[in-house]
Amino acid sequence: MDVARQLEYYTIDDIYNLPDGRRAELIDGELYMTATPNRIHQRLVMVLSNNIYNYIQDKSGDCEVYTSPFAVFLNADDRIYLEPDISVICNKDKLTDEGCKGAPDWIVEMVSPSSRQMDYNKKLFKYRTAGVREYWIVDPEKNRIMVYNFEHDTLAEYMFSDKVKAGIYDGFEIDFAGISIE
């Protein structure tokens, strides 16, 4: 007798029921456990989020900056739950006590060996199709920053010695040469 293999389908409830200290992301019902970030990863998140936050404050902007762990319900459903390293949300109607319901305007992900495939493939596709305006992939191992501006359908590649312009803010750039990751 043939028994059909039933695929396991996870929801956001499964994320909330993880043991304390365990983190995961959910894409189309598939659960992806996340590793603890290393020191360089955390330093980059801190420096970049501070730069973004300070720019927004200096310009009296309305956007909010959040760092992981911060829940992004990308399509405002129970099939996708992500925790981007940095999320910039300009539509405050998307913000709830639980996180962001819908696509942030700008997402920055720091690549680690365990996240490489997710950041460059799955998340890239999901962010683009969900309506994220800009997506940066910061890859310290490859000394590379990939900037996807989905509004203008452009891709630019930078090195850690470059100044990287943000597409969603005129006049804002981050000088990666000034960031020490050693």
Side-chain angles (χ1 to χ4, degrees):
M1 180 167 115
D2 288 316
V3 178
R5 181 175 172 253
Q6 185 176 6
L7 296 176
E8 190 114 22
Y9 178 83
Y10 295 96
T11 67
I12 290 170
D13 288 338
D14 295 303
I15 295 281
Y16 291 141
N17 289 321
L18 288 172
D20 285 345
R22 295 296 315 221
R23 290 181 38 224
E25 294 181 307
L26 178 70
I27 298 178
D28 296 330
E30 192 169 340
L31 204 59
Y32 297 90
M33 302 309 289
T34 56
T36 302
N38 66 26
R39 180 187 60 81
I40 291 171
H41 179 282
Q42 291 300 89
R43 175 151 179 75
L44 284 168
V45 168
M46 181 192 68
V47 170
L48 295 180
S49 62
N50 282 341
N51 273 277
I52 297 165
Y53 176 83
N54 289 337
Y55 178 82
I56 293 168
Q57 292 301 303
D58 288 347
K59 298 294 182 186
S60 299
D62 289 331
C63 301
E64 299 274 341
V65 181
Y66 295 93
T67 60
S68 181
F70 176 74
V72 171
F73 305 90
L74 198 57
N75 296 327
D77 61 21
D78 73 343
R79 296 179 44 104
I80 299 180
Y81 169 98
L82 298 170
E83 293 182 351
D85 291 315
I86 302 172
S87 300
V88 178
I89 298 104
C90 299
N91 179 350
K92 292 186 182 171
D93 291 339
K94 292 181 180 181
L95 295 172
T96 69
D97 287 343
E98 291 81 32
C100 177
K101 303 277 182 157
D105 294 271
W106 180 13
I107 290 178
V108 181
E109 294 280 13
M110 309 307 154
V111 175
S112 61
S114 64
S115 74
R116 185 168 303 283
Q117 290 297 327
M118 288 287 288
D119 295 337
Y120 279 103
N121 296 305
K122 284 187 186 285
K123 288 183 179 181
L124 171 64
F125 175 76
K126 291 299 179 185
Y127 292 153
R128 180 178 54 222
T129 57
V132 171
R133 294 168 54 200
E134 186 164 344
Y135 175 43
W136 288 19
I137 302 174
V138 179
D139 193 335
E141 187 177 297
K142 293 187 183 264
N143 186 33
R144 176 172 68 192
I145 302 100
M146 305 295 292
V147 175
Y148 295 87
N149 185 320
F150 298 133
E151 287 185 312
H152 301 293
D153 199 27
T154 61
L155 167 63
E157 183 175 340
Y158 300 90
M159 307 292 285
F160 269 72
S161 57
D162 295 329
K163 291 181 180 178
V164 180
K165 293 182 179 184
I168 69 169
Y169 295 118
D170 290 334
F172 177 57
E173 63 185 15
I174 295 176
D175 184 0
F176 276 80
I179 300 173
S180 171
I181 57 171
E182 298 303 319

